[in-house]
Amino acid sequence: KQEVTQIPAALSVPEGENLVLNCSFTDSAIYNLQWFRQDPGKGLTSLLLIQSSQREQTSGRLNASLDKSSGRSTLYIAASQPGDSATYLCAVLSTQGGSEKLVFGKGTKLTVNP
Amino acid sequence: DGGITQSPKYLFRKEGQNVTLSCEQNLNHDAMYWYRQDPGQGLRLIYYSQIVNDFQKGDIAEGYSVSREKKESFPLTVTSAQKNPTAFYLCASSPIIGGYEQYFGPGTRLTVT
């Protein structure tokens, strides 16, 4: 059974700092991995999608890497801003019980202090 | 504007009542999904549909029902059989099943007292 773990559960940093969020998964047979952002009481916004054949994806100040063999992904945020404060969710798409399913971690709550 | 809409944003019901949550998408996506989110837990899959008039149970389908009569719409009914219905419900869609990105709606917060 696929399990996704995100460490740390919460992170507080001063504005301008570069930071890394971690995601690990137990079954390396995945189709892709997605990083999402969720603001309080809101839906999920997709940040980056990495296909299983890719090693990384970049969008602006965000860079996500994927090491399928070790079951790890990282989300790097450069020059953090207070507007980056949110919960970041990692999810992997894989076949579970004969069906394709997106399995989520519990998220990392990021606070960027001005 | 293309996207996924969920209504209402907040919903309050008395215990024992069925309630239906709306999800509509204009992205022309074939696949649609319902997830439940509880504090401190990851999202859990309730039901999903790959095509009109077809749907499959997810990990926590008990106490829920769905229909998929139109490509654009995938309503979720929370029945009185659901023991702990209070939660944040999220609808998502993707072009097809098969490794594609899922797009999420804004969610409905259901409170049952």
Side-chain angles (χ1 to χ4, degrees), chain A residues 4 45 54 99 105 112 114:
Chain A
V4 178
T45 300
Q54 297 175 319
S99 301
V112 181

Side-chain angles (χ1 to χ4, degrees), chain B residues 33-84:
Chain B
Y33 313 81
W34 274 105
Y35 293 90
R36 170 184 172 135
Q37 187 177 35
D38 296 282
Q41 295 200 37
L43 275 71
R44 292 180 290 168
L45 182 65
I46 304 172
Y47 267 99
Y48 65 100
S49 168
Q50 301 182 52
I51 196 168
V52 173
N53 292 323
D54 181 67
F55 46 83
Q56 309 293 330
K57 291 182 179 179
D59 298 320
I60 55 165
E62 185 175 348
Y64 299 97
S65 65
V66 293
S67 63
R68 187 88 186 275
E69 297 176 1
K70 298 187 300 181
K71 187 176 184 178
E72 302 79 18
S73 179
F74 191 40
L76 173 75
T77 296
V78 184
T79 75
S80 57
Q82 168 49 233
K83 291 186 171 62
N84 296 295

Side-chain angles (χ1 to χ4, degrees), chain A residues 41-56:
Chain A
K42 306 288 187 184
L44 275 61
T45 300
S46 181
L47 297 173
L48 290 164
L49 171 73
I50 310 177
Q51 298 292 354
S52 62
S53 58
Q54 297 175 319
R55 297 284 295 192
E56 66 177 337

Side-chain angles (χ1 to χ4, degrees), chain A residues 13 15-17 19 21 37-39 47 61-62 77-88 108-112:
Chain A
V13 301
E15 182 177 2
E17 192 162 295
L19 59 100
L21 307 181
R37 170 188 173 132
Q38 186 176 31
D39 293 290
L47 297 173
R61 294 182 294 108
L62 305 180
I77 302 177
S80 59
Q81 303 170 357
D84 294 330
S85 297
T87 296
Y88 291 81
T108 293
K109 184 176 181 180
L110 173 66
T111 302
V112 181

